[in-house]
Amino acid sequence: MMKQWATAASAAALALAIAAPDAAAQKSKDTLRIAWEQTVENVDNYYNTNREGILFSRMVWDTLVDRDPKTFKTIPNLATAWKWVDDRTLEMELRQGVKFHNGEEFDADDVVFTLNYISNPENKVINQSNVSWIEKAEKLDKFKVRIITKKPFPAALEFLTIPIVMYPNEYYAKVGPKEMGLKPVGTGPYKATKIVPTKEYTLERWEGHFEGGSKPHAKIKNIVIRTIPEMSTQIAELLAGGLDWIWYVPVDQADRLETVPSLQVVRAETMRVGYIGMDAAGRTPVKALQDVRVRQAIAHAIDRPAIVKNLIGGKSRVLDAPCFPTQFGCDNSVAAKYPYNPAKAKELLAAAGYKDGFEMEFFAYRPRDWSEAILGYLNAVGIKPKLTQMTYFAVRDKNHANATPTYFMDWGSYSINDVSAILPNFFAGSGDDYARDPEVKAWLEAGGSTVDEAVRKENYSKAIKKITEQAYWLPMFTFVTNYGMTKDLNFEAFADELPRYYLYGWK
Amino acid sequence: MLAYSLKRLLLAALVVLTVSGITFIMTNAAIDPAKAIAGANATIEDIEALRRSFGFDRPLVIQYLDWLGNALTGNFGESYRLRTPVAELLLDRLPVTMTLGGCALLFALSLSIPLGVVAALKPNSPVDRLALSLSVLGQALPTFWFALMMIILFGIVLRWLPISGSGSWAHFVMPSIALGYYATPAFMRLTRAGMIEVLASDYIRTARAKGLRPATVLFKHALRNAVIPVVSLAAVQFGFMLGGSVVIETIFALHGVGFLAWESISRSDIPVVQAIVLLISLFYIFLTLLADLLNAYLDPRIRVG
């Protein structure tokens, strides 16, 4: 109800605002004013779980290696060189002459301290899967370290690019997570000048930021981030000139914002992948879904290009393989293709003995019009789905409790550019696995337990081939994030859905 | 009087206990706290590890008694999200909510009392109807929509008022109107009814007969008596406003208790939700208790019966 009012009201707001005078951005004050919908509970990188926490973290701290946001190649940052000594041992050379915001020098002690601290379960880092692969870190000399993994862990470098940032050992040992959340100290291009937890975060360019790493010297001097939970309020602030940048703007609002002369809208594809899950394993009482022909019929019944064109928009793409195209191991060439073909869907259903269709429940938490579009296509071939639209956590609970015969869900892979951040979650026997295919599980384990790229690729391709041929999942489309901002800002969006504020400047 | 007060106090304590128990059970039944803390993309192993480390695997009764024991000493535990003592969070957020509640009440009273007086002067006249419509509109309009309409007009088109935040007095104008407008019909009707009754009473006729100016009769003699029930209603409405500020604080990004409630509910921060529900119910219970005791003090028949 609130959402509908909000939509109506913001539509009216936009209509009026177009006639209202333009507000000047804070270009003159060299301050970028941002709103986030989500509150970052504690800006200490290891004690929050939202994406906004990562955005903050990237401004204030640095990772050992980084990702080129366009090519997704691993590039040096605090580490200048690295090599796998064996399956479980990664050796890294560290950059010299780097200083933390408090003047402390960055060296091997900081790396060893950070990695050993976060991988110790007693310290209760929230995202355990980001750190639980680390056995320990050792200092070889002042600027050389060795990281030992618990078992062969090929995605280690990926985890060292985004989620794991380096802390100053002396400072952190003294203050701990709570104080770090209030007075963060890092090596990043911005230093935090004022943190009011969950309300407001003020950052200022750090003039002592090191040269030669993955991040250039920041262009904009000040950044002020406020938490505004209501999208309508954010849009109103943007229109009134109280904000310069917002994101996650709904498609319909983005269309209207585009018509405001002082604003620009950027629509960018993200790594988030939407899919329809089907109970092939017989975890629910819906027998029909255990027949591969029924699952293939569902795949053929849905016009994914039409959904993408009409409901998602932007640069969203239809997917064949159950992963994001740039991810390591995401081999699209072996994926079975399911073009829209309702006649074939009906044939397959008839062959499986469901000429008159069957009844099943369908669970979803994303916008209702997406679910209804999917349901419409299924109805057209005779399947009678019953929609249950719930919140994310509710659907996930049902999913784990063997109660979701079919469901539309999505996965962002933590922005990790490797299929090991998506496939094992869904096809290696976890609560999310509705395929329970031992062969697929074995291939995924083989692909995830070596650093040999050829072996990894081979195993992942086999898995992708079988997952799609068996239609365990119907990969749907990539998600799109809409950004709204002042025209004065030079902005670029990246597929990993991580805006890099230090790269942006004024026009 | 002492026995009566003790009985009332005991009753209030029982209500507090019941509210806390129900809140505890409901919050724990609604969402699995371990899952909520772990975040959207956590693995099942992550969740189980968190469940053990936070003690969510213990029986609910034990968890409740544990919480109650601590709450009695003023320790409401630590927020799962913020790792800050809940009491500290509430103290930090309370001033914003109290300011908002106070301003909203002030707005509601300063709109509804004059409206009620005007309406009572000529009951059932067009003026009365207009006054009634104006105030009933406050209850009929969804608060959320009304707030957004104000934002459009005063924030975007006219640019008179700031849209979100709590940095200055100007930030409180729109939220107070949005929150207060909803409460006007009750005040207005009570004032109107009280005024009609008082204006028809003998002492007003006497006052008029003495040749006092109409304004003096109206404000000095009539209104002072007619607004007594309004004042006691105001106390109850103040409690309502503290609770009802969740939506308003969220829209205007005012970081008060209501906003904290919204954040904590959406992130399943159970200790904070429990403390907020308890705090708001304590306000209600305290205000009701106060009214009861005051009534008993004024009217001996109550404490005897």
Side-chain angles (χ1 to χ4, degrees):
Chain A
M1 186 68 184
M2 234 158 90
K3 282 256 172 333
Q4 282 162 14
W5 281 116
T7 310
S10 3
L14 283 161
L16 284 165
I18 294 165
D22 286 356
Q26 287 294 83
K27 190 176 169 179
S28 55
K29 290 184 183 160
D30 205 4
T31 300
L32 180 67
R33 296 158 308 160
I34 292 168
W36 289 343
E37 189 179 327
Q38 295 284 335
T39 54
V40 183
E41 46 264 44
N42 179 346
V43 294
D44 183 322
N45 182 65
Y46 299 105
Y47 296 95
N48 66 66
T49 55
N50 28 31
R51 186 161 287 271
E52 285 78 0
I54 303 178
L55 302 190
F56 182 91
S57 170
R58 289 195 68 81
M59 290 190 268
V60 173
W61 291 286
D62 274 298
T63 44
L64 287 169
V65 287
D66 206 348
R67 157 196 298 165
D68 180 311
K70 284 184 195 140
T71 62
F72 278 38
K73 284 218 169 74
T74 305
I75 53 172
N77 195 25
L78 284 174
T80 50
W82 56 90
K83 65 166 190 257
W84 283 99
V85 179
D86 61 47
D87 252 14
R88 290 179 45 218
T89 312
L90 180 66
E91 252 179 42
M92 296 189 126
E93 305 270 351
L94 304 177
R95 191 177 297 278
Q96 303 190 15
V98 177
K99 287 254 188 310
F100 284 98
H101 300 153
N102 64 351
E104 205 177 311
E105 187 190 12
F106 167 77
D107 60 22
D109 289 329
D110 300 303
V111 178
V112 170
F113 169 83
T114 305
L115 296 178
N116 288 337
Y117 179 90
I118 59 175
S119 58
N120 179 356
E122 277 173 27
N123 292 321
K124 293 186 187 174
V125 165
I126 291 188
N127 263 332
Q128 278 295 319
S129 49
N130 283 341
V131 296
S132 57
W133 54 274
I134 304 167
E135 163 96 30
K136 60 176 175 186
E138 291 166 353
K139 177 180 176 180
L140 296 180
D141 64 37
K142 193 165 188 234
F143 293 103
K144 196 166 184 183
V145 292
R146 180 174 269 182
I147 302 167
I148 298 151
T149 65
K150 283 183 184 150
K151 52 184 185 187
F153 189 69
L157 277 171
E158 273 290 331
F159 280 92
L160 293 173
T161 57
I162 306 284
I164 297 179
V165 296
M166 293 300 125
Y167 280 177
N169 64 329
E170 286 152 42
Y171 180 70
Y172 200 57
K174 198 173 77 193
V175 302
K178 195 179 167 194
E179 194 67 13
M180 186 61 128
L182 294 170
K183 293 189 183 99
V185 171
T187 55
Y190 282 98
K191 58 180 183 187
T193 50
K194 193 178 158 211
I195 304 277
V196 189
T198 76
K199 288 184 207 168
E200 200 171 308
Y201 315 93
T202 312
L203 300 135
E204 193 187 301
R205 180 171 60 211
W206 190 47
E207 306 299 344
H209 183 241
F210 65 96
E211 305 271 322
S214 62
K215 300 168 190 171
H217 203 54
K219 291 198 176 83
I220 295 175
K221 186 155 190 281
N222 303 298
I223 294 184
V224 178
I225 303 155
R226 289 171 55 208
T227 305
I228 302 181
E230 224 351 275
M231 182 46 68
S232 314
T233 313
Q234 288 191 17
I235 290 175
E237 283 282 15
L238 188 67
L239 289 168
L243 284 173
D244 303 311
W245 187 96
I246 61 175
W247 69 334
Y248 296 129
V249 182
V251 179
D252 53 333
Q253 308 284 2
D255 293 344
R256 295 193 191 101
L257 278 183
E258 234 162 21
T259 62
V260 180
S262 60
L263 302 177
Q264 57 175 328
V265 169
V266 175
R267 300 160 197 254
E269 187 191 35
T270 74
M271 253 186 165
R272 189 164 292 278
V273 162
Y275 65 91
I276 292 176
M278 294 176 261
D279 177 27
R283 292 175 59 181
T284 68
V286 184
K287 283 266 173 301
L289 293 165
Q290 289 172 32
D291 190 318
V292 63
R293 289 167 296 187
V294 172
R295 299 194 301 269
Q296 289 170 337
I298 290 175
H300 277 300
I302 299 169
D303 189 351
R304 292 172 292 162
I307 293 179
V308 164
K309 183 168 171 272
N310 299 314
L311 296 178
I312 319 298
K315 295 216 167 70
S316 171
R317 281 183 275 180
V318 172
L319 293 169
D320 295 315
C323 38
F324 187 73
T326 65
Q327 282 181 314
F328 177 88
C330 190
D331 186 355
N332 200 55
S333 66
V334 296
K337 314 282 189 291
Y338 296 96
Y340 175 53
N341 190 343
K344 189 159 182 199
K346 280 185 187 161
E347 251 170 56
L348 283 162
L349 281 174
Y354 296 98
K355 194 169 166 292
D356 300 321
F358 61 94
E359 288 183 7
M360 63 175 194
E361 278 187 289
F362 185 90
F363 289 84
Y365 78 98
R366 288 288 178 180
R368 202 183 176 93
D369 49 350
W370 300 8
S371 314
E372 278 167 358
I374 294 168
L375 260 59
Y377 287 117
L378 294 179
N379 271 316
V381 297
I383 300 171
K384 298 172 216 40
K386 191 174 141 257
L387 175 65
T388 308
Q389 191 85 23
M390 303 167 103
T391 64
Y392 171 78
F393 287 113
V395 179
R396 205 175 82 154
D397 284 354
K398 288 261 180 202
N399 193 250
H400 289 168
N402 303 325
T404 53
T406 52
Y407 45 96
F408 178 84
M409 294 280 270
D410 53 85
W411 188 255
S413 296
Y414 303 102
S415 298
I416 289 169
N417 199 31
D418 190 298
V419 291
S420 66
I422 180 166
L423 295 182
N425 281 293
F426 298 98
F427 300 102
S430 77
D432 293 310
D433 185 355
Y434 272 69
R436 306 274 160 159
D437 184 325
E439 222 177 4
V440 171
K441 185 176 183 228
W443 286 324
L444 293 177
E445 280 166 0
S449 52
T450 172
V451 287
D452 185 327
E453 295 199 347
V455 178
R456 297 191 67 213
K457 272 191 180 152
E458 189 196 330
N459 280 291
Y460 287 136
S461 294
K462 281 184 192 161
I464 288 170
K465 187 163 189 282
K466 185 151 189 210
I467 291 166
T468 52
E469 279 175 0
Q470 288 292 315
Y472 292 139
W473 255 26
L474 175 63
M476 291 289 286
F477 48 78
T478 55
F479 277 52
V480 165
T481 298
N482 300 314
Y483 306 83
M485 70 204 77
T486 162
K487 265 225 162 90
D488 291 338
L489 191 70
N490 261 323
F491 171 81
E492 192 177 4
F494 304 104
D496 61 7
E497 218 178 343
L498 296 174
R500 287 149 169 89
Y501 299 111
Y502 46 84
L503 293 179
Y504 312 139
W506 304 110
K507 279 183 185 163
Chain B
M1 183 70 197
L2 185 68
Y4 177 81
S5 305
L6 285 176
K7 210 169 95 184
R8 284 277 136 191
L9 266 171
L10 189 70
L11 201 66
L14 281 175
V15 174
V16 173
L17 199 68
T18 314
V19 168
S20 75
I22 292 174
T23 317
F24 194 89
I25 292 165
M26 279 172 62
T27 43
N28 275 288
I31 277 188
D32 181 345
K35 278 187 183 159
I37 297 172
N41 285 346
T43 63
I44 294 170
E45 292 75 46
D46 287 354
I47 295 166
E48 288 313 312
L50 281 168
R51 192 188 310 286
R52 280 189 301 277
S53 74
F54 278 92
F56 297 139
D57 50 351
R58 296 174 303 156
L60 206 56
V61 180
I62 304 284
Q63 291 186 50
Y64 173 65
L65 290 176
D66 209 19
W67 176 82
L68 191 67
N70 286 326
L72 286 175
T73 63
N75 173 10
F76 292 95
E78 225 179 44
S79 153
Y80 297 156
R81 290 182 314 128
L82 300 161
R83 305 204 161 201
T84 308
V86 175
E88 209 174 280
L89 275 176
L90 288 178
L91 283 177
D92 178 48
R93 303 293 187 95
L94 212 51
V96 168
T97 303
M98 292 298 239
T99 311
L100 175 62
C103 293
L105 190 66
L106 207 68
F107 169 78
L109 289 173
S110 52
L111 179 71
S112 56
I113 293 176
L115 276 181
V117 172
V118 171
L121 281 177
K122 285 195 174 138
N124 300 323
S125 67
V127 179
D128 180 22
R129 295 269 170 243
L130 186 74
L132 193 67
S133 316
L134 209 62
S135 86
V136 167
L137 197 64
Q139 205 148 32
L141 285 177
T143 317
F144 187 81
W145 186 81
F146 180 54
L148 286 170
M149 286 301 134
M150 276 199 291
I151 288 180
I152 293 169
L153 184 63
F154 299 113
I156 301 177
V157 178
L158 300 171
R159 305 213 175 170
W160 288 351
L161 292 166
I163 294 168
S164 61
S166 52
S168 69
W169 64 268
H171 285 93
F172 284 92
V173 175
M174 285 198 281
S176 303
I177 294 175
L179 187 61
Y181 196 24
Y182 184 80
T184 49
F187 290 140
M188 187 264 176
R189 291 180 140 193
L190 210 58
T191 312
R192 179 180 174 273
M195 282 300 280
I196 290 174
E197 198 187 320
V198 170
L199 285 175
S201 64
D202 291 344
Y203 78 91
I204 293 293
R205 199 177 44 202
T206 313
R208 282 190 181 132
K210 279 198 299 187
L212 290 176
R213 288 188 306 133
T216 313
V217 173
L218 200 61
F219 294 109
K220 207 172 160 196
H221 295 262
L223 188 61
R224 273 172 88 171
N225 284 301
V227 294
I228 291 170
V230 176
V231 173
S232 48
L233 179 69
V236 180
Q237 284 286 339
F238 187 62
F240 159 80
M241 279 166 185
L242 296 181
S245 63
V246 176
V247 172
I248 294 299
E249 286 185 12
T250 308
I251 296 172
F252 291 101
L254 281 171
H255 292 263
V257 175
F259 188 81
L260 184 67
W262 174 85
E263 285 176 283
S264 308
I265 291 166
S266 61
R267 299 298 293 272
S268 303
D269 195 348
I270 292 179
V272 184
V273 177
Q274 281 157 350
I276 292 175
V277 174
L278 193 65
L279 180 78
I280 291 173
S281 43
L282 271 176
F283 268 115
Y284 271 114
I285 293 162
F286 174 74
L287 291 168
T288 319
L289 181 71
L290 199 70
D292 277 355
L293 293 181
L294 211 62
N295 278 335
Y297 175 73
L298 294 172
D299 187 347
R301 283 172 304 181
I302 293 175
R303 43 185 185 212
V304 177

